Amino acid sequence: MRIVLGVGGGIAAYKVASLLRLFTEAGHQVTVIPTEAATRFVGVATWEALSGNPVSNSVFDDVEKVNHVRLGHEADLIVVAPATADLLAKAATGQAGDLLTNTLLMAHGPVLFAPAMHTEMWQHAATQANVETLRSRGVTVLEPASGRLTGADSGPGRLPEPEAIFTAAMALAEAATEADSPQAVPATHASLAGRTVTISAGGTREALDPVRFLGNRSSGKQGAALAAAALAAGATVRFLAAHMDVEPPAGVELVRVESALELREAALKAAVDSDVVIMAAAVADFRPAEVSDTKIKKVDGEDAPLVRLVRNPDILHELVERRNAEGGQQLIVGFAAETGDAQGDVLEHATAKLKRKGCDLLVVNHVGVGRVFGQDDNSVVILSGHGADPESASGSKADVAAAVVDRVGSELARVFPGR
Ligand code: CTP
């Protein structure tokens, strides 16, 4: 594949040398186009040596090759990393002052931007409007990762890891090839390119007092694996993280929540313009009726306090009701942790739950103490609310996540073909 790798003028340019290596080691032909500012961070010699191709950032070099037209026209994929606020603005307004911006205007294949900048620049209304404009034109703009920035401060604005950019770029190119091919398989894991997927993960914590809570054993590993799989399938991922034992993958739009009520608020908000919502979080069904403002103390001679619980709202059910009321075309996926009992086996309980919740897909885990929660492997059955046969998937949580994301892509195309 012919790739143009545009490099913006930010400190994260040094990380893009690793991204370039990932592309060349995978056998791709890469032409690097650094902006003038980018060459202040990493010199032309580095890009030439690593890509094995000549590097220029001027429209006036090798004029006879008409590079300002040819490079964008011929590229199967254009990746811009780090995409600075300046580059996003130039791309959104169609400026063409240098070789990279000319190339972007000539792009015939998919384009992916991996932004990196200071948090305030990323969150500025101007930058967000530029990102919206680019996305509305079908350009993929990854969410920056959160973490330590150039100085001592931290927040969203870090360049996603080179591996994450590589995976997203490959999935995007694959999706574009399939869309172009008449023999395209309609549903594959890459069919989420350009889609927005909201994923909740981890376990909610329901406060009893400032130091204690009721929680559950969810590690968030399956939710994190789902987010990674959805990113790899080209989706923009909104990740609603309750308590997790693992870090969310880089590149997601991260919202941290604690309780079921906080998760409900975040989920209803994120779902508004999402194509898919996956509720993988273990949501507490009950919360303490009263939350003490001060630490609950034991008092000698008094009985232990009784904790009264009240029901939490069923977020999944509410999402489905709202979608149905609005006539929306949003695919909603639930997870169910089930055990068999005297009333029925795991699948019987799960089928009843699928009906009760009204979601489109239900991913069913068979649980018992020590099974599934916190472990690295998983085995699930995916039930469809639209009549398709149940499908099993097992293996690592990444394998299961890939199977679920694959199924989400195909179900989306089947249930809402016009979307
Ligand atoms: N869920 C939710 N809101 C809740 C409880 C659960 O959105 N208050 C979602 C979970 O994220 C999951 C699905 O519902 O996708 C199934 O959760 P589960 O706890 O297994 O089912 P319950 O509805 O709680 O049923 P039960 O406890 O009766 O098995």
Side-chain angles (χ1 to χ4, degrees), residues 200 260 279-285 312-317 333-338 353 356-357 362:
S200 72
M279 284 294 296
V283 187
D285 287 324
N312 270 329
D314 187 330
I315 305 167
L316 181 61
H317 190 60
V333 184
F335 268 67
E338 295 292 345
K353 186 172 289 181
R356 215 166 48 236
K357 301 258 183 183
L362 189 72

Side-chain angles (χ1 to χ4, degrees), residues 14-96:
Y14 78 93
K15 289 190 186 170
V16 175
S18 311
L19 177 62
L20 171 54
R21 285 301 281 267
L22 291 172
F23 286 142
T24 55
E25 280 168 10
H28 302 298
Q29 270 296 326
V30 187
T31 302
V32 182
I33 312 180
T35 62
E36 183 73 38
T39 59
R40 293 191 171 221
F41 293 96
V42 179
V44 165
T46 301
W47 302 123
E48 288 193 332
L50 290 179
S51 68
N53 282 317
V55 167
S56 160
N57 55 32
S58 167
V59 286
F60 297 110
D61 288 340
D62 299 316
V63 175
E64 77 288 356
K65 294 186 186 150
V66 205
N67 280 339
H68 73 289
V69 170
R70 187 181 57 83
L71 288 170
H73 202 269
E74 289 179 358
D76 301 301
L77 169 70
I78 301 180
V79 176
V80 181
T84 56
D86 181 62
L87 259 179
L88 291 169
K90 284 183 169 142
T93 50
Q95 293 182 46

Side-chain angles (χ1 to χ4, degrees), residues 112-113 135 138-144 160 164-165 167-173 175 188-199 225-239 249-253 273-278 405-406 408-409 412:
L112 180 144
F113 283 85
R135 285 182 177 156
V139 170
T140 297
V141 183
L142 296 181
E143 288 294 318
I165 303 173
T167 313
M170 291 300 109
L172 185 64
T188 75
H189 67 282
S191 60
L192 294 182
R195 304 285 195 184
T196 299
V197 179
T198 290
I199 300 174
L226 279 166
L231 284 174
T236 298
V237 179
R238 297 198 180 128
F239 195 67
V252 298
E253 192 180 306
D273 55 353
S274 291
D275 300 285
V276 179
V277 182
I278 304 178
V405 164
D406 231 20
V408 164
L412 193 61

Side-chain angles (χ1 to χ4, degrees), residues 209-299:
D209 71 12
V211 291
R212 304 183 183 93
F213 57 83
L214 296 179
N216 60 62
R217 292 176 193 268
S218 174
S219 65
K221 285 181 184 169
Q222 186 64 74
L226 279 166
L231 284 174
T236 298
V237 179
R238 297 198 180 128
F239 195 67
L240 315 180
H243 175 76
M244 315 219 337
D245 295 340
V246 293
E247 276 304 306
V252 298
E253 192 180 306
L254 181 62
V255 180
R256 297 245 185 219
V257 297
E258 188 165 294
S259 64
L261 291 180
E262 281 178 27
L263 178 56
R264 173 182 172 273
E265 200 180 315
L268 290 174
K269 184 164 172 235
V272 168
D273 55 353
S274 291
D275 300 285
V276 179
V277 182
I278 304 178
M279 284 294 296
V283 187
D285 287 324
F286 306 99
R287 66 180 185 279
E290 283 97 34
V291 183
S292 170
D293 290 341
T294 52
K295 191 177 163 200
I296 300 167
K297 297 274 194 191
K298 56 186 173 304
V299 180

